[in-house]
Amino acid sequence: MADQNSVVLRGGTVLTLDAQHTVLRDADVLVTGDRVAAVGTGLAVPEGTREIDARDGVVMPGMIDTHRHMWQTAMRGYGADWTLTQYFVWYYLESGKHFRPQDVRAGNLLAAAEALDAGVTTCVDWSHGLQTVEHAEGAADALRTIPGRYVLAYGNIQQAPWEWSASADFQAFARRVLDDDRLGFQMAFDVTGDPAFPEKAAYEVARELGVPVTTHAGVWGATNDDGIRLAHEAGFLNDASIFVHAATLSADSYHRIAATGGSVSVSTESEQSAGQGYPPTWALRAHNIPVSLSMDTSVWWSGDLFSAMRTTLGADRSREHFEAHQKGDTVTHCSLRAEHVVDWATRGGAAALGRSADLGSLEPGKKADVVLLKNDASPVSFPVLNPYGHVAFQAQRGDVHTVLVDGRVVKDEHRLVGVDLAAIRREVEGTVEHLRATLGEEAWAKGMNPDVPATKVLDNPYTYTDYASGATHGG
Ligand SMILES: [Zn+2]
Protein backbone atom coordinates (compact mmCIF):
# COMPACT_ATOMS: atom_id res chain seq x y z
CA MET A 1 0.00 0.00 0.00
CA ALA A 2 2.67 2.51 1.06
CA ASP A 3 4.31 2.51 -2.36
CA GLN A 4 1.02 3.49 -4.00
CA ASN A 5 0.45 7.21 -4.10
CA SER A 6 -2.15 8.06 -1.47
CA VAL A 7 -3.74 11.32 -0.40
CA VAL A 8 -6.33 12.06 2.28
CA LEU A 9 -8.46 15.19 2.43
CA ARG A 10 -9.24 15.61 6.13
CA GLY A 11 -12.16 17.15 7.94
CA GLY A 12 -14.19 18.77 5.16
CA THR A 13 -17.87 18.92 4.37
CA VAL A 14 -18.09 16.11 1.81
CA LEU A 15 -20.73 16.19 -0.92
CA THR A 16 -20.48 12.59 -2.07
CA LEU A 17 -23.08 12.97 -4.84
CA ASP A 18 -23.74 9.25 -4.39
CA ALA A 19 -27.24 8.01 -5.34
CA GLN A 20 -28.63 9.21 -1.98
CA HIS A 21 -26.70 12.49 -2.18
CA THR A 22 -25.09 11.73 1.17
CA VAL A 23 -23.47 14.76 2.83
CA LEU A 24 -20.89 14.16 5.56
CA ARG A 25 -19.60 16.81 7.95
CA ASP A 26 -16.05 16.77 9.31
CA ALA A 27 -15.28 13.84 7.01
CA ASP A 28 -12.29 12.46 5.11
CA VAL A 29 -11.78 11.28 1.54
CA LEU A 30 -8.94 8.81 1.07
CA VAL A 31 -7.47 8.39 -2.39
CA THR A 32 -5.17 5.49 -3.21
CA GLY A 33 -3.63 5.28 -6.65
CA ASP A 34 -6.19 6.52 -9.18
CA ARG A 35 -9.25 5.59 -7.07
CA VAL A 36 -11.28 6.77 -4.11
CA ALA A 37 -10.43 4.22 -1.41
CA ALA A 38 -12.74 5.38 1.39
CA VAL A 39 -15.07 8.18 2.47
CA GLY A 40 -15.91 8.64 6.16
CA THR A 41 -14.95 10.19 9.48
CA GLY A 42 -11.64 9.63 11.22
CA LEU A 43 -10.26 7.33 8.50
CA ALA A 44 -7.13 5.32 9.20
CA VAL A 45 -4.73 5.80 6.29
CA PRO A 46 -1.64 3.98 4.99
CA GLU A 47 1.76 5.16 6.16
CA GLY A 48 3.18 7.89 3.95
CA THR A 49 -0.25 9.20 2.91
CA ARG A 50 -0.21 12.89 2.10
CA GLU A 51 -2.63 14.82 4.35
CA ILE A 52 -4.56 17.80 2.98
CA ASP A 53 -6.40 19.91 5.53
CA ALA A 54 -9.97 20.27 4.25
CA ARG A 55 -11.43 21.82 7.43
CA ASP A 56 -13.75 24.75 6.64
CA GLY A 57 -13.84 23.51 3.05
CA VAL A 58 -16.23 21.59 0.79
CA VAL A 59 -15.04 18.40 -0.90
CA MET A 60 -16.94 17.37 -4.02
CA PRO A 61 -16.48 15.30 -7.19
CA GLY A 62 -14.64 16.94 -10.07
CA MET A 63 -17.05 18.85 -12.27
CA ILE A 64 -17.86 17.74 -15.83
CA ASP A 65 -18.50 20.11 -18.74
CA THR A 66 -20.22 18.32 -21.63
CA HIS A 67 -19.86 21.02 -24.28
CA ARG A 68 -17.04 23.48 -24.81
CA HIS A 69 -15.40 24.74 -28.01
CA MET A 70 -11.97 24.70 -26.45
CA TRP A 71 -10.13 25.96 -29.54
CA GLN A 72 -12.03 29.25 -29.24
CA THR A 73 -10.46 30.07 -25.86
CA ALA A 74 -7.54 31.67 -27.73
CA MET A 75 -10.09 34.42 -28.58
CA ARG A 76 -11.19 34.82 -24.95
CA GLY A 77 -13.79 37.55 -24.51
CA TYR A 78 -13.53 38.80 -28.13
CA GLY A 79 -17.22 38.13 -28.84
CA ALA A 80 -18.64 39.43 -25.55
CA ASP A 81 -21.25 41.51 -27.41
CA TRP A 82 -22.10 39.03 -30.16
CA THR A 83 -25.33 37.27 -30.97
CA LEU A 84 -25.30 33.90 -32.76
CA THR A 85 -25.42 35.79 -36.05
CA GLN A 86 -22.06 37.48 -35.47
CA TYR A 87 -20.63 34.20 -34.16
CA PHE A 88 -21.66 32.29 -37.29
CA VAL A 89 -20.36 34.99 -39.62
CA TRP A 90 -17.02 35.28 -37.79
CA TYR A 91 -16.22 31.61 -37.20
CA TYR A 92 -18.19 29.69 -39.83
CA LEU A 93 -18.07 32.04 -42.81
CA GLU A 94 -15.17 34.44 -42.47
CA SER A 95 -12.40 33.93 -39.93
CA GLY A 96 -12.61 30.32 -38.66
CA LYS A 97 -10.72 29.07 -41.71
CA HIS A 98 -7.65 31.13 -40.72
CA PHE A 99 -7.00 28.99 -37.64
CA ARG A 100 -3.91 26.84 -38.18
CA PRO A 101 -3.22 23.56 -36.34
CA GLN A 102 -1.05 25.44 -33.81
CA ASP A 103 -3.92 27.87 -33.17
CA VAL A 104 -6.31 25.04 -32.31
CA ARG A 105 -3.60 23.65 -30.06
CA ALA A 106 -3.05 27.03 -28.34
CA GLY A 107 -6.77 27.49 -27.61
CA ASN A 108 -7.07 23.95 -26.31
CA LEU A 109 -4.07 24.31 -24.00
CA LEU A 110 -5.51 27.44 -22.43
CA ALA A 111 -9.03 26.01 -22.18
CA ALA A 112 -7.74 22.80 -20.59
CA ALA A 113 -5.68 24.70 -18.02
CA GLU A 114 -8.65 26.97 -17.31
CA ALA A 115 -10.97 24.01 -16.81
CA LEU A 116 -8.67 22.32 -14.30
CA ASP A 117 -8.12 25.57 -12.43
CA ALA A 118 -11.91 25.88 -11.97
CA GLY A 119 -12.32 22.28 -10.76
CA VAL A 120 -13.66 20.99 -14.09
CA THR A 121 -11.84 17.67 -14.26
CA THR A 122 -13.61 16.35 -17.38
CA CYS A 123 -14.37 18.47 -20.40
CA VAL A 124 -15.90 17.60 -23.78
CA ASP A 125 -14.00 19.50 -26.45
CA TRP A 126 -16.62 20.14 -29.17
CA SER A 127 -13.87 20.74 -31.66
CA HIS A 128 -15.44 21.95 -34.88
CA GLY A 129 -12.40 23.79 -36.23
CA LEU A 130 -10.68 20.62 -37.44
CA GLN A 131 -10.21 21.49 -41.11
CA THR A 132 -7.47 18.88 -41.47
CA VAL A 133 -6.20 15.94 -39.45
CA GLU A 134 -3.18 18.13 -38.58
CA HIS A 135 -5.63 20.43 -36.78
CA ALA A 136 -7.02 17.39 -34.95
CA GLU A 137 -3.51 16.32 -33.95
CA GLY A 138 -2.99 19.84 -32.56
CA ALA A 139 -6.19 19.60 -30.52
CA ALA A 140 -5.41 16.11 -29.20
CA ASP A 141 -1.81 16.96 -28.41
CA ALA A 142 -2.94 19.87 -26.21
CA LEU A 143 -5.42 17.65 -24.36
CA ARG A 144 -2.71 15.08 -23.70
CA THR A 145 -0.40 17.81 -22.38
CA ILE A 146 -2.67 19.16 -19.62
CA PRO A 147 -3.40 16.55 -16.93
CA GLY A 148 -7.22 16.57 -16.98
CA ARG A 149 -9.75 14.20 -18.48
CA TYR A 150 -11.06 15.16 -21.93
CA VAL A 151 -13.35 13.91 -24.66
CA LEU A 152 -12.45 15.03 -28.18
CA ALA A 153 -15.70 15.57 -30.10
CA TYR A 154 -14.44 15.78 -33.68
CA GLY A 155 -16.06 18.28 -36.04
CA ASN A 156 -15.30 20.52 -39.01
CA ILE A 157 -17.43 23.56 -39.82
CA GLN A 158 -15.60 24.10 -43.11
CA GLN A 159 -17.10 20.90 -44.62
CA ALA A 160 -20.38 19.00 -44.50
CA PRO A 161 -20.34 16.15 -41.97
CA TRP A 162 -20.99 13.53 -44.66
CA GLU A 163 -17.84 14.80 -46.40
CA TRP A 164 -15.30 14.98 -43.58
CA SER A 165 -16.55 11.83 -41.87
CA ALA A 166 -16.06 9.85 -45.09
CA SER A 167 -12.38 10.70 -45.41
CA ALA A 168 -9.80 7.98 -44.77
CA ASP A 169 -7.66 10.51 -42.83
CA PHE A 170 -10.48 11.19 -40.35
CA GLN A 171 -11.27 7.53 -39.89
CA ALA A 172 -7.64 6.59 -39.30
CA PHE A 173 -7.33 9.44 -36.77
CA ALA A 174 -10.49 8.30 -34.98
CA ARG A 175 -9.20 4.74 -34.66
CA ARG A 176 -5.90 6.01 -33.21
CA VAL A 177 -7.73 8.05 -30.55
CA LEU A 178 -10.07 5.16 -29.73
CA ASP A 179 -6.97 3.22 -28.67
CA ASP A 180 -5.97 6.04 -26.28
CA ASP A 181 -7.69 5.52 -22.94
CA ARG A 182 -6.79 9.00 -21.64
CA LEU A 183 -8.90 10.68 -24.30
CA GLY A 184 -12.56 9.96 -25.06
CA PHE A 185 -13.97 10.41 -28.55
CA GLN A 186 -17.26 11.57 -30.05
CA MET A 187 -18.43 12.95 -33.40
CA ALA A 188 -19.72 16.52 -33.44
CA PHE A 189 -21.98 17.77 -36.21
CA ASP A 190 -25.36 19.44 -36.65
CA VAL A 191 -28.46 18.20 -38.45
CA THR A 192 -30.02 20.89 -40.60
CA GLY A 193 -33.44 19.32 -41.12
CA ASP A 194 -32.97 18.89 -44.89
CA PRO A 195 -35.67 16.29 -45.74
CA ALA A 196 -33.07 14.28 -47.72
CA PHE A 197 -31.23 13.78 -44.37
CA PRO A 198 -27.70 13.87 -45.84
CA GLU A 199 -26.28 13.60 -42.28
CA LYS A 200 -27.31 9.91 -42.36
CA ALA A 201 -23.89 8.99 -43.80
CA ALA A 202 -22.10 10.69 -40.88
CA TYR A 203 -24.33 8.89 -38.35
CA GLU A 204 -23.42 5.62 -40.08
CA VAL A 205 -19.71 6.36 -39.65
CA ALA A 206 -20.32 7.03 -35.94
CA ARG A 207 -22.17 3.74 -35.62
CA GLU A 208 -19.37 1.93 -37.45
CA LEU A 209 -16.76 3.48 -35.10
CA GLY A 210 -19.00 2.88 -32.09
CA VAL A 211 -18.84 6.51 -30.91
CA PRO A 212 -21.56 8.88 -29.66
CA VAL A 213 -22.85 11.80 -31.71
CA THR A 214 -23.30 15.23 -30.17
CA THR A 215 -25.31 17.92 -31.97
CA HIS A 216 -26.40 21.51 -31.44
CA ALA A 217 -30.18 21.04 -31.34
CA GLY A 218 -33.08 23.43 -30.97
CA VAL A 219 -31.01 26.48 -31.91
CA TRP A 220 -33.27 29.29 -33.11
CA GLY A 221 -32.67 29.94 -36.83
CA ALA A 222 -30.22 27.03 -37.23
CA THR A 223 -31.52 23.64 -36.08
CA ASN A 224 -35.07 22.60 -35.25
CA ASP A 225 -37.49 19.70 -34.69
CA ASP A 226 -36.92 18.28 -38.18
CA GLY A 227 -33.32 17.28 -37.42
CA ILE A 228 -34.38 15.38 -34.31
CA ARG A 229 -37.32 13.70 -36.07
CA LEU A 230 -35.15 12.58 -39.02
CA ALA A 231 -32.39 11.16 -36.80
CA HIS A 232 -34.97 9.46 -34.58
CA GLU A 233 -36.92 7.94 -37.48
CA ALA A 234 -33.66 6.62 -38.96
CA GLY A 235 -32.86 4.92 -35.64
CA PHE A 236 -29.76 6.93 -34.74
CA LEU A 237 -30.83 8.34 -31.36
CA ASN A 238 -29.73 6.49 -28.24
CA ASP A 239 -28.67 7.00 -24.63
CA ALA A 240 -25.25 8.29 -25.71
CA SER A 241 -26.74 11.11 -27.82
CA ILE A 242 -26.01 14.55 -26.38
CA PHE A 243 -28.20 17.43 -27.56
CA VAL A 244 -26.68 20.81 -26.86
CA HIS A 245 -29.04 23.70 -25.96
CA ALA A 246 -32.27 21.92 -27.05
CA ALA A 247 -33.95 25.26 -26.45
CA THR A 248 -36.25 25.99 -29.39
CA LEU A 249 -38.02 22.65 -29.69
CA SER A 250 -41.55 21.31 -29.53
CA ALA A 251 -42.83 18.73 -27.06
CA ASP A 252 -42.57 16.15 -29.85
CA SER A 253 -38.76 16.50 -29.94
CA TYR A 254 -38.50 16.31 -26.17
CA HIS A 255 -40.57 13.11 -26.25
CA ARG A 256 -38.26 11.60 -28.88
CA ILE A 257 -35.15 12.51 -26.83
CA ALA A 258 -36.66 11.17 -23.60
CA ALA A 259 -37.87 7.95 -25.22
CA THR A 260 -34.41 7.10 -26.60
CA GLY A 261 -32.55 7.94 -23.37
CA GLY A 262 -30.53 10.89 -24.68
CA SER A 263 -29.50 13.85 -22.56
CA VAL A 264 -29.29 17.60 -22.97
CA SER A 265 -26.24 19.73 -22.33
CA VAL A 266 -27.58 23.07 -21.10
CA SER A 267 -25.30 26.10 -21.60
CA THR A 268 -27.40 28.70 -19.85
CA GLU A 269 -25.00 31.63 -20.20
CA SER A 270 -24.85 30.89 -23.92
CA GLU A 271 -28.59 30.50 -24.46
CA GLN A 272 -29.27 33.72 -22.55
CA SER A 273 -26.95 35.91 -24.63
CA ALA A 274 -26.62 34.29 -28.05
CA GLY A 275 -30.27 33.55 -28.74
CA GLN A 276 -30.64 29.77 -29.16
CA GLY A 277 -33.84 30.00 -27.11
CA TYR A 278 -34.84 30.20 -23.45
CA PRO A 279 -32.57 27.96 -21.31
CA PRO A 280 -34.67 24.79 -21.34
CA THR A 281 -34.25 23.15 -17.93
CA TRP A 282 -37.83 24.08 -16.95
CA ALA A 283 -39.09 22.10 -19.99
CA LEU A 284 -36.54 19.27 -19.65
CA ARG A 285 -37.67 18.66 -16.07
CA ALA A 286 -41.24 18.32 -17.28
CA HIS A 287 -40.17 15.74 -19.89
CA ASN A 288 -37.85 13.85 -17.51
CA ILE A 289 -34.81 14.38 -19.75
CA PRO A 290 -31.40 14.02 -18.07
CA VAL A 291 -29.40 17.27 -17.88
CA SER A 292 -25.71 18.09 -17.83
CA LEU A 293 -24.14 21.54 -17.81
CA SER A 294 -21.68 23.30 -20.10
CA MET A 295 -20.10 26.68 -20.83
CA ASP A 296 -20.03 26.45 -24.65
CA THR A 297 -17.26 28.95 -25.45
CA SER A 298 -14.98 31.43 -23.74
CA VAL A 299 -15.13 33.69 -26.80
CA TRP A 300 -18.10 35.12 -24.87
CA TRP A 301 -18.45 33.64 -21.37
CA SER A 302 -16.76 32.36 -18.29
CA GLY A 303 -15.29 28.86 -18.42
CA ASP A 304 -16.36 27.68 -15.00
CA LEU A 305 -19.34 25.65 -13.89
CA PHE A 306 -20.05 27.84 -10.86
CA SER A 307 -21.40 30.37 -13.36
CA ALA A 308 -23.30 27.60 -15.13
CA MET A 309 -24.94 26.41 -11.90
CA ARG A 310 -25.85 29.95 -10.85
CA THR A 311 -27.29 31.08 -14.18
CA THR A 312 -29.16 27.81 -14.63
CA LEU A 313 -30.88 28.16 -11.26
CA GLY A 314 -31.69 31.78 -12.07
CA ALA A 315 -33.09 31.06 -15.52
CA ASP A 316 -35.21 28.13 -14.36
CA ARG A 317 -36.66 29.97 -11.37
CA SER A 318 -37.19 33.11 -13.42
CA ARG A 319 -39.23 31.13 -15.94
CA GLU A 320 -41.23 29.39 -13.24
CA HIS A 321 -42.18 32.73 -11.64
CA PHE A 322 -42.90 34.29 -15.04
CA GLU A 323 -45.20 31.45 -16.16
CA ALA A 324 -47.07 31.60 -12.85
CA HIS A 325 -47.50 35.39 -12.97
CA GLN A 326 -49.02 35.14 -16.46
CA LYS A 327 -51.78 33.08 -14.83
CA GLY A 328 -52.06 35.34 -11.79
CA ASP A 329 -50.42 32.69 -9.60
CA THR A 330 -47.60 32.90 -7.08
CA VAL A 331 -44.79 30.35 -6.84
CA THR A 332 -44.35 29.69 -3.14
CA HIS A 333 -41.74 26.88 -3.42
CA CYS A 334 -38.86 26.65 -5.91
CA SER A 335 -38.84 23.38 -7.87
CA LEU A 336 -35.21 23.55 -8.93
CA ARG A 337 -32.85 23.37 -6.00
CA ALA A 338 -29.15 24.17 -5.58
CA GLU A 339 -28.70 20.44 -4.96
CA HIS A 340 -30.04 19.69 -8.45
CA VAL A 341 -27.57 21.90 -10.31
CA VAL A 342 -24.64 20.54 -8.29
CA ASP A 343 -25.83 17.07 -9.34
CA TRP A 344 -26.02 18.17 -13.00
CA ALA A 345 -22.48 19.57 -12.83
CA THR A 346 -21.12 16.24 -11.55
CA ARG A 347 -23.30 13.10 -11.77
CA GLY A 348 -25.27 14.52 -14.68
CA GLY A 349 -22.14 15.00 -16.75
CA ALA A 350 -20.88 11.50 -15.92
CA ALA A 351 -24.21 9.98 -16.99
CA ALA A 352 -24.22 11.95 -20.26
CA LEU A 353 -20.78 10.55 -21.08
CA GLY A 354 -21.71 6.97 -20.13
CA ARG A 355 -19.26 7.17 -17.21
CA SER A 356 -21.64 6.78 -14.24
CA ALA A 357 -19.78 3.67 -13.14
CA ASP A 358 -16.52 5.49 -12.47
CA LEU A 359 -17.04 9.27 -12.50
CA GLY A 360 -19.40 11.88 -11.02
CA SER A 361 -19.41 10.94 -7.32
CA LEU A 362 -17.09 10.30 -4.38
CA GLU A 363 -17.53 6.61 -3.57
CA PRO A 364 -15.01 3.84 -2.92
CA GLY A 365 -13.82 2.32 -6.19
CA LYS A 366 -14.59 5.35 -8.34
CA LYS A 367 -11.93 7.33 -10.19
CA ALA A 368 -10.37 9.91 -7.87
CA ASP A 369 -11.40 13.15 -9.58
CA VAL A 370 -11.83 15.36 -6.52
CA VAL A 371 -12.24 19.08 -5.83
CA LEU A 372 -11.66 20.91 -2.54
CA LEU A 373 -13.28 24.36 -2.26
CA LYS A 374 -11.54 26.24 0.52
CA ASN A 375 -10.35 29.79 0.75
CA ASP A 376 -9.32 30.87 4.23
CA ALA A 377 -8.61 34.42 3.02
CA SER A 378 -12.16 34.90 1.72
CA PRO A 379 -15.00 36.36 3.80
CA VAL A 380 -17.34 34.34 1.56
CA SER A 381 -15.90 31.03 2.76
CA PHE A 382 -17.99 30.86 5.96
CA PRO A 383 -20.36 29.89 7.39
CA VAL A 384 -21.11 26.86 5.21
CA LEU A 385 -24.65 26.26 6.39
CA ASN A 386 -26.22 24.90 3.21
CA PRO A 387 -23.38 23.22 1.33
CA TYR A 388 -25.21 22.85 -2.03
CA GLY A 389 -26.32 26.47 -1.85
CA HIS A 390 -22.77 27.45 -0.96
CA VAL A 391 -21.37 25.72 -4.05
CA ALA A 392 -24.06 27.04 -6.43
CA PHE A 393 -24.40 30.65 -5.26
CA GLN A 394 -21.42 31.56 -3.05
CA ALA A 395 -18.35 29.80 -4.42
CA GLN A 396 -16.27 30.80 -7.41
CA ARG A 397 -13.15 29.63 -9.21
CA GLY A 398 -10.78 31.43 -6.82
CA ASP A 399 -12.08 29.16 -4.07
CA VAL A 400 -10.84 26.02 -5.84
CA HIS A 401 -8.01 25.05 -3.50
CA THR A 402 -7.13 21.50 -4.56
CA VAL A 403 -7.97 19.40 -7.61
CA LEU A 404 -7.17 15.73 -8.16
CA VAL A 405 -7.55 13.92 -11.47
CA ASP A 406 -7.00 10.17 -11.52
CA GLY A 407 -5.65 10.46 -7.98
CA ARG A 408 -2.99 12.97 -8.99
CA VAL A 409 -2.90 16.45 -7.42
CA VAL A 410 -3.11 18.84 -10.39
CA LYS A 411 -3.98 21.96 -8.39
CA ASP A 412 -2.36 22.44 -5.02
CA GLU A 413 -3.13 25.31 -2.62
CA HIS A 414 -4.67 27.38 -5.44
CA ARG A 415 -1.79 26.76 -7.90
CA LEU A 416 -1.88 24.50 -10.96
CA VAL A 417 0.79 21.79 -10.85
CA GLY A 418 2.81 20.86 -13.93
CA VAL A 419 1.11 23.44 -16.18
CA ASP A 420 3.46 25.92 -17.84
CA LEU A 421 1.19 28.94 -18.09
CA ALA A 422 3.96 31.17 -19.46
CA ALA A 423 4.48 28.77 -22.37
CA ILE A 424 0.72 28.63 -23.03
CA ARG A 425 0.59 32.44 -22.97
CA ARG A 426 3.28 32.59 -25.68
CA GLU A 427 1.35 30.15 -27.90
CA VAL A 428 -1.91 32.08 -27.45
CA GLU A 429 -0.13 35.38 -28.21
CA GLY A 430 1.17 33.79 -31.42
CA THR A 431 -2.40 32.90 -32.42
CA VAL A 432 -3.75 36.36 -31.65
CA GLU A 433 -0.93 38.01 -33.63
CA HIS A 434 -1.54 35.68 -36.59
CA LEU A 435 -5.29 36.35 -36.70
CA ARG A 436 -4.96 40.08 -36.18
CA ALA A 437 -2.40 40.33 -38.98
CA THR A 438 -4.46 38.11 -41.31
CA LEU A 439 -7.73 39.99 -40.72
CA GLY A 440 -6.21 43.49 -40.64
CA GLU A 441 -6.89 46.07 -37.94
CA GLU A 442 -10.20 47.27 -39.37
CA ALA A 443 -11.80 43.82 -39.62
CA TRP A 444 -10.34 42.85 -36.25
CA ALA A 445 -11.95 45.84 -34.53
CA LYS A 446 -15.21 45.48 -36.46
CA GLY A 447 -15.50 41.80 -35.51
CA MET A 448 -15.20 42.66 -31.84
CA ASN A 449 -17.60 45.60 -31.93
CA PRO A 450 -20.83 44.81 -33.78
CA ASP A 451 -23.16 47.72 -34.53
CA VAL A 452 -25.52 48.67 -31.72
CA PRO A 453 -29.14 48.84 -32.90
CA ALA A 454 -30.89 52.12 -32.12
CA THR A 455 -33.12 51.98 -29.04
CA LYS A 456 -36.45 53.71 -29.63
CA VAL A 457 -37.29 55.52 -26.43
CA LEU A 458 -41.05 55.40 -25.91
CA ASP A 459 -43.15 58.51 -25.42
CA ASN A 460 -43.58 59.13 -21.71
CA PRO A 461 -46.93 60.60 -20.59
CA TYR A 462 -45.38 62.02 -17.42
CA THR A 463 -42.96 64.40 -19.18
CA TYR A 464 -45.41 67.30 -19.75
CA THR A 465 -43.62 69.41 -17.18
CA ASP A 466 -40.12 70.78 -17.51
CA TYR A 467 -39.27 71.06 -13.82
CA ALA A 468 -35.94 72.79 -14.39
CA SER A 469 -37.38 75.85 -16.13
CA GLY A 470 -40.83 75.64 -14.63
CA ALA A 471 -42.29 75.67 -18.16
CA THR A 472 -45.19 73.47 -19.17
CA HIS A 473 -45.10 71.66 -22.53
CA GLY A 474 -47.76 70.34 -24.81
CA GLY A 475 -51.38 71.15 -24.81
ZN1 LIG B 1 -21.68 25.10 -29.01
Side-chain angles (χ1 to χ4, degrees), residues 47-78:
E47 212 182 300
T49 297
R50 181 177 167 197
E51 303 248 349
I52 295 173
D53 182 1
R55 283 174 301 170
D56 302 322
V58 174
V59 184
M60 62 183 286
M63 287 172 270
I64 298 175
D65 183 316
T66 53
H67 181 78
R68 191 178 297 196
H69 306 292
M70 293 174 75
W71 63 294
Q72 296 177 348
T73 304
M75 295 294 291
R76 181 191 302 292
Y78 180 87

Side-chain angles (χ1 to χ4, degrees), residues 131-182:
Q131 305 172 60
T132 67
V133 164
E134 287 68 45
H135 288 75
E137 295 288 2
D141 183 58
L143 301 181
R144 290 185 183 112
T145 301
I146 307 294
R149 207 180 287 286
Y150 306 98
V151 175
L152 180 63
Y154 194 113
N156 176 6
I157 48 179
Q158 303 301 332
Q159 264 188 352
W162 55 92
E163 292 169 346
W164 61 256
S165 66
S167 83
D169 275 0
F170 161 74
Q171 296 191 9
F173 175 86
R175 290 187 197 284
R176 284 200 299 282
V177 173
L178 287 172
D179 285 337
D180 179 348
D181 62 15
R182 286 205 44 213

Side-chain angles (χ1 to χ4, degrees), residues 67 69 216 245 296:
H67 181 78
H69 306 292
H216 291 110
H245 308 305
D296 207 0

